[in-house]
Amino acid sequence: MDVDHYNVLGLPSGEEGANLTQKEITKAYREKARDLHPDKRKDDPNAHENFIKLKSSYEILVDEKARKLFDDLLRVKWEQQRRFAQQDSKRRKMMSDLEDRERASFAADPAMKAKEEEERIARKLKEEIARIRAMQANKGASMGTGSGQEKVGREGNRGVGGHVGVDKERVLKVSWEKIGEGYTAEKLRELFSRFGEVEDIVVNSSKKKGSALVVMATKHAVDSATGSVSGNLDNPLLVVPLKPSVAEFPAPKKEEQSDRLSNLVGAGYQAFEDAVLNKLTKAAEKQQK
């Protein structure tokens, strides 16, 4: 462990640091950030590096999982130092002789176990730091996307009627009530992947209902998924094909079909559906160029 993130923020370490609230940590970070900001230290060649170090320590301490791992790592180090500090020279020799006998008999070495525990926690801490940085990078990238839709997968590029576009018979319409945690594109992909390859998912969010278009790789996957996916029991999914096949799903009258769609996913769903299909078709055309 090379850095004590509490000390970087000017905070006490140890048990006192572990008991600090996030509000206290944030307050200390802001005070330090004002003092170490590169704009105030233009003559300091290390100002930018020190500010990045401060920000990194703050991100670790405000992340609950990463902070717990760091506190555990500190605790192991402190316990090891306290144990050695309390041992006098005679006791240390006795402990050394005992540890030699234990190693000779293939017994577990306490010092080695402590070292392994320290390394294990250090590895976990590094993983959490990498996770935090990746999360920050993804957050920055997502700011450039639309707020009403999320999209996962690749654009479909199969032809419809001899033209480049999306085959509507490979598209499912999915809707659900906006209660509980709802459904994300990743969750829908996980649910529908058991019926076949999922090429694309576009999710639309509103205040009362959630809906999505799921593009499957084959029509057989659409037939298998229709009526089979229920999702969470407390918020089941309603799954219907965008364009039912003539053999299995006789086309209803236009007026009845319009009323049915409105009842299933809301009056505004058709406009959303047309807009999404238009975007998918344009994307597929770009891939063909």
Side-chain angles (χ1 to χ4, degrees):
M1 183 184 65
D2 298 326
V3 179
D4 188 332
H5 300 292
Y6 289 104
N7 291 339
V8 173
L9 270 67
L11 294 170
S13 193
E15 295 182 2
E16 187 177 354
N19 292 326
L20 291 171
T21 65
Q22 284 200 4
K23 185 177 180 180
E24 293 172 323
I25 292 173
T26 300
K27 180 180 178 181
Y29 165 72
R30 290 174 178 172
E31 292 177 356
K32 274 284 187 180
R34 284 193 294 267
D35 183 49
L36 296 179
H37 198 281
D39 291 343
K40 291 187 176 182
R41 295 175 174 265
K42 296 182 179 180
D43 297 332
D44 185 1
N46 299 321
H48 181 72
E49 181 181 351
N50 292 335
F51 187 79
I52 294 299
K53 182 180 178 181
L54 174 68
K55 186 176 181 181
S56 177
S57 294
Y58 171 70
E59 290 174 348
I60 291 171
L61 293 181
V62 295
D63 185 278
E64 183 178 354
K65 190 173 181 180
R67 182 183 177 187
K68 184 178 183 304
L69 286 170
F70 180 67
D71 288 339
D72 290 342
L73 184 60
L74 285 179
R75 176 180 50 78
V76 171
K77 293 283 290 184
W78 289 328
E79 288 178 354
Q80 188 179 37
Q81 292 173 1
R82 187 164 52 246
R83 185 171 61 251
F84 284 117
Q86 293 173 348
Q87 295 172 353
D88 56 19
S89 59
K90 183 177 179 180
R91 181 175 173 79
R92 289 178 184 177
K93 187 173 188 316
M94 292 175 61
M95 290 292 297
S96 177
D97 294 340
L98 177 60
E99 289 173 358
D100 289 341
R101 289 195 296 271
E102 288 177 343
R103 281 193 292 269
S105 60
F106 302 99
D109 182 4
M112 184 64 68
K113 288 182 65 176
K115 183 66 175 177
E116 291 174 354
E117 177 71 3
E118 177 185 342
E119 292 174 351
R120 183 188 68 81
I121 297 175
R123 286 196 301 270
K124 292 289 291 182
L125 179 59
K126 287 181 179 180
E127 292 173 2
E128 286 305 308
I129 293 173
R131 179 182 65 81
I132 292 172
R133 290 175 178 172
M135 182 173 63
Q136 293 294 333
N138 292 336
K139 183 178 179 181
S142 65
M143 292 178 65
T145 62
S147 60
Q149 297 181 355
E150 58 176 312
K151 185 173 181 181
V152 179
R154 65 173 185 271
E155 301 290 349
N157 58 359
R158 301 196 178 190
V160 179
H163 300 283
V164 176
V166 178
D167 187 351
K168 293 184 179 181
E169 292 186 3
R170 295 189 294 106
V171 181
L172 290 166
K173 293 186 294 185
V174 185
S175 62
W176 62 90
E177 297 293 332
K178 293 300 288 292
I179 57 177
E181 63 182 33
Y183 295 89
T184 63
E186 289 80 3
K187 180 65 174 178
L188 292 173
R189 176 176 291 277
E190 179 183 349
L191 289 171
F192 285 95
S193 292
R194 59 193 179 103
F195 300 104
E197 181 184 356
V198 178
E199 289 192 349
D200 208 351
I201 297 177
V202 179
V203 177
N204 185 55
S205 296
S206 65
K207 292 183 178 180
K208 295 184 178 180
K209 283 185 175 290
S211 58
L213 293 179
V214 180
V215 182
M216 306 298 290
T218 64
K219 297 177 184 178
H220 176 71
V222 171
D223 295 337
S224 299
T226 301
S228 299
V229 177
S230 60
N232 298 327
L233 294 179
D234 57 346
N235 188 12
L237 292 171
L238 178 61
V239 183
V240 295
L242 179 64
K243 182 179 180 183
S245 60
V246 177
E248 297 184 16
F249 302 96
K253 293 181 180 180
K254 185 174 182 180
E255 182 178 354
E256 295 177 354
Q257 186 178 24
S258 176
D259 293 340
R260 183 185 176 197
L261 288 173
S262 296
N263 292 332
L264 289 176
V265 294
Y269 187 85
Q270 189 65 43
F272 160 70
E273 171 190 310
D274 293 340
V276 171
L277 286 174
N278 185 40
K279 290 181 180 180
L280 293 176
T281 301
K282 289 181 178 179
E285 291 175 350
K286 289 181 180 180
Q287 289 184 353
Q288 292 293 320
K289 292 181 181 180

